[in-house]
Amino acid sequence: MDDMELRKTHPQKYYLKFICNSLYVLGYGSCWYEETPRTNFHKIFYKIWSGIANFFIVIIVINEIMANFRPNLTAKEQNDLVQFTFGHSLIVAKIVTMYYQRDRIKAVLKKLLEDNRTIFISADIDKSSVKKVKVYCIVLVSTVYLTIVSAYIDGFRAHFNEGIPIRGEITYYPTPLDSGILVNILRFIVEFHWLYIVTVMNLIDCMSYCTLIFLSSQFKLTQTYYNLLRKKYTKNSNKKTCNVLGEEYKKDFLIGIRLHENALWCAHHVQASLGYIYSSQICQSIILIVMCLVKFVTSARNMTVLLANMTYLSAMTVMTGAYMTAGGDITYEASLVSTTMFHSGWDLVVFDKELRTLAVVAIQRSQAPVYMTAFGVIILSYNNLIMVLRSSYSFFAVMY
């Protein structure tokens, strides 16, 4: 199946495949569950490229961390460096987590995207989930790259006002006092590193958002199935005998249970495979929001600095908000399954005691809440988004 046909028939798979393939091209291994035939030369070349890409990310981050020991840092560089030290280190933590969990991610994606399609499909749910994914990812990518652009605008201002080289990241070497062709090439490599690591971060976050949103659509699919079940029984009540209707309903009800069990399995394993990424994001957001608030207080008052800080703060809020709302949607959609299951028409098959027992057990199981968590304790929900933002401000207020 080519990409254009896949985009029409299975849009969820198309977009997740695109993200996973993009991560593969950037050198961070394959998270996609479908095997692609590759030659030995390709495998050897990819190992070399992957090693270079990972070494490039790590060595520049180490260079940034070492910059904290430079004796000639300005006040602005010190403030920016704290953000980069924590921010880029936590991005590396996301990358390591994704790479370490890639086999489990493959299994989750396969189950999430393939299993239920052999049972029941809803084109409307597919379209609505993909539309939500596009909104989340476009807002995330736009906000993050706008932050980079605003930082470079501030860099241009500093270059023309203070005569220092234009820079985004702050490194131990080269320093603003170093000059020469090789030094300028190295400066370009460092600035490219910022774009590169942010692109990898965006892809990992987008993959996580897609997985959470598509998981919530699985619970929505289960609701839709049970809503249709009662209509189907009522529609055929005058055409078939009670025994035939009862047997058909029982088979259909068991299919609904299978849909729900698949969704619960995916929820458990999505949490297990991607939970560390949620944790990294919450930790990153709290630390960097606090650092950004400190910069508001300590930095010079001018429009470019204000723009850079505001976009940075917006990026952190958007990234955290996307995780929190996507996780909250899963909890909400899962909570509605028990109601749709109860009203699916099982009470109409009054003669089948086995079905009634099965329905009671299934409804009880569906009433157990489904949560996505960070650190195993912070539930991803709408309310906790406000809690994280309040905690960041409270920590800033106490510290400053």
Side-chain angles (χ1 to χ4, degrees):
M1 185 182 296
D2 59 29
D3 288 343
M4 292 304 296
E5 184 180 354
L6 184 64
R7 188 173 184 176
K8 294 178 181 178
T9 58
H10 197 344
Q12 293 181 347
K13 183 177 179 179
Y14 171 81
Y15 286 104
L16 264 174
K17 183 179 180 181
F18 173 78
I19 293 170
C20 291
N21 287 343
S22 298
L23 281 168
Y24 178 82
V25 169
L26 290 177
Y28 293 95
S30 176
C31 292
W32 192 241
Y33 56 87
E34 293 178 333
E35 294 294 333
T36 302
R38 295 186 174 94
T39 63
N40 289 332
F41 173 78
H42 179 97
K43 292 177 181 178
I44 294 172
F45 177 81
Y46 186 77
K47 287 181 180 179
I48 296 172
W49 161 238
S50 180
I52 293 172
N54 284 276
F55 178 78
F56 174 62
I57 288 284
V58 172
I59 198 66
I60 302 297
V61 171
I62 292 174
N63 195 9
E64 282 186 306
I65 295 172
M66 290 176 61
N68 288 280
F69 300 100
R70 269 177 47 193
N72 57 345
L73 290 172
T74 65
K76 184 178 185 308
E77 285 178 328
Q78 289 175 346
N79 289 335
D80 291 343
L81 188 56
V82 171
Q83 281 187 325
F84 287 130
T85 299
F86 283 105
H88 292 178
S89 298
L90 288 168
I91 292 175
V92 171
K94 281 186 181 181
I95 294 172
V96 171
T97 299
M98 184 272 299
Y99 190 81
Y100 178 74
Q101 296 285 351
R102 65 189 186 282
D103 290 335
R104 180 175 279 182
I105 291 172
K106 290 179 184 179
V108 170
L109 294 182
K110 184 176 182 179
K111 186 89 171 179
L112 182 66
L113 297 173
E114 302 292 351
D115 274 25
N116 282 351
R117 295 190 74 81
T118 61
I119 305 172
F120 180 66
I121 301 173
S122 173
D124 291 337
I125 291 177
D126 281 358
K127 289 179 181 178
S128 63
S129 63
V130 168
K131 184 177 179 180
K132 186 180 291 187
V133 159
K134 289 179 180 178
V135 172
Y136 275 56
C137 293
I138 289 172
V139 171
L140 167 70
V141 173
S142 301
T143 307
V144 169
Y145 283 114
L146 180 61
T147 302
I148 294 178
V149 170
S150 64
Y152 277 116
I153 291 174
D154 187 42
F156 277 104
R157 179 200 61 78
H159 172 69
F160 289 112
N161 291 348
E162 303 172 22
I164 62 175
I166 299 170
R167 60 102 184 133
E169 296 182 327
I170 301 162
T171 55
Y172 185 80
Y173 183 84
T175 68
L177 300 177
D178 297 315
S179 61
I181 296 176
L182 293 178
V183 171
N184 289 333
I185 292 173
L186 183 57
R187 282 199 179 101
F188 172 79
I189 292 174
V190 170
E191 299 313 315
F192 176 76
H193 169 268
W194 194 10
L195 296 172
Y196 186 77
I197 195 173
V198 164
T199 301
V200 174
M201 179 197 70
N202 280 339
L203 288 170
I204 293 174
D205 286 331
C206 286
M207 180 181 69
S208 300
Y209 297 160
C210 288
T211 306
L212 290 172
I213 292 168
F214 294 159
L215 175 58
S216 69
S217 74
Q218 293 299 308
F219 288 105
K220 205 168 186 178
L221 185 73
T222 305
Q223 296 171 41
T224 302
Y225 179 85
Y226 277 115
N227 285 330
L228 293 174
L229 204 55
R230 188 181 188 95
K231 295 178 182 178
K232 179 181 177 182
Y233 185 91
T234 305
K235 182 179 179 181
N236 295 329
S237 60
N238 296 326
K239 300 177 183 178
K240 300 178 182 179
T241 64
C242 291
N243 288 333
V244 173
L245 283 172
E247 288 299 319
E248 289 183 354
Y249 181 87
K250 188 174 181 179
K251 290 179 181 178
D252 291 340
F253 192 85
L254 288 170
I255 290 173
I257 292 176
R258 184 180 169 189
L259 285 172
H260 185 230
E261 288 298 323
N262 285 345
L264 291 175
W265 186 96
C266 290
H268 173 74
H269 286 82
V270 165
Q271 173 62 40
S273 59
L274 298 177
Y276 293 106
I277 295 179
Y278 314 151
S279 303
S280 297
Q281 181 57 53
I282 299 302
C283 184
Q284 183 184 43
S285 297
I286 292 175
I287 293 172
L288 296 183
I289 288 174
V290 170
M291 294 300 102
C292 197
L293 292 173
V294 171
K295 284 180 67 176
F296 268 120
V297 177
T298 59
S299 299
R301 302 292 191 273
N302 60 69
M303 185 57 68
T304 55
V305 171
L306 179 63
L307 176 63
N309 287 339
M310 285 298 296
T311 53
Y312 202 99
L313 190 61
S314 299
M316 288 298 103
T317 305
V318 166
M319 291 169 68
T320 308
Y323 276 107
M324 288 294 188
T325 54
D329 286 343
I330 292 172
T331 302
Y332 174 72
E333 296 296 345
S335 69
L336 299 178
V337 172
S338 59
T339 302
T340 56
M341 194 180 288
F342 180 81
H343 293 291
S344 63
W346 62 274
D347 55 303
L348 300 176
V349 189
V350 293
F351 56 87
D352 196 330
K353 294 183 179 179
E354 183 181 353
L355 174 62
R356 295 169 73 89
T357 303
L358 182 66
V360 170
V361 173
I363 291 170
Q364 286 180 331
R365 178 160 170 73
S366 65
Q367 288 174 334
V370 178
Y371 297 125
M372 298 291 108
T373 63
F375 301 107
V377 292
I378 301 177
I379 297 172
L380 304 189
S381 65
Y382 317 125
N383 291 335
N384 281 346
L385 170 60
I386 306 301
M387 184 272 292
V388 168
L389 298 178
R390 283 179 176 174
S391 299
S392 301
Y393 180 77
S394 298
F395 184 66
F396 159 74
V398 171
M399 186 180 70
Y400 198 78

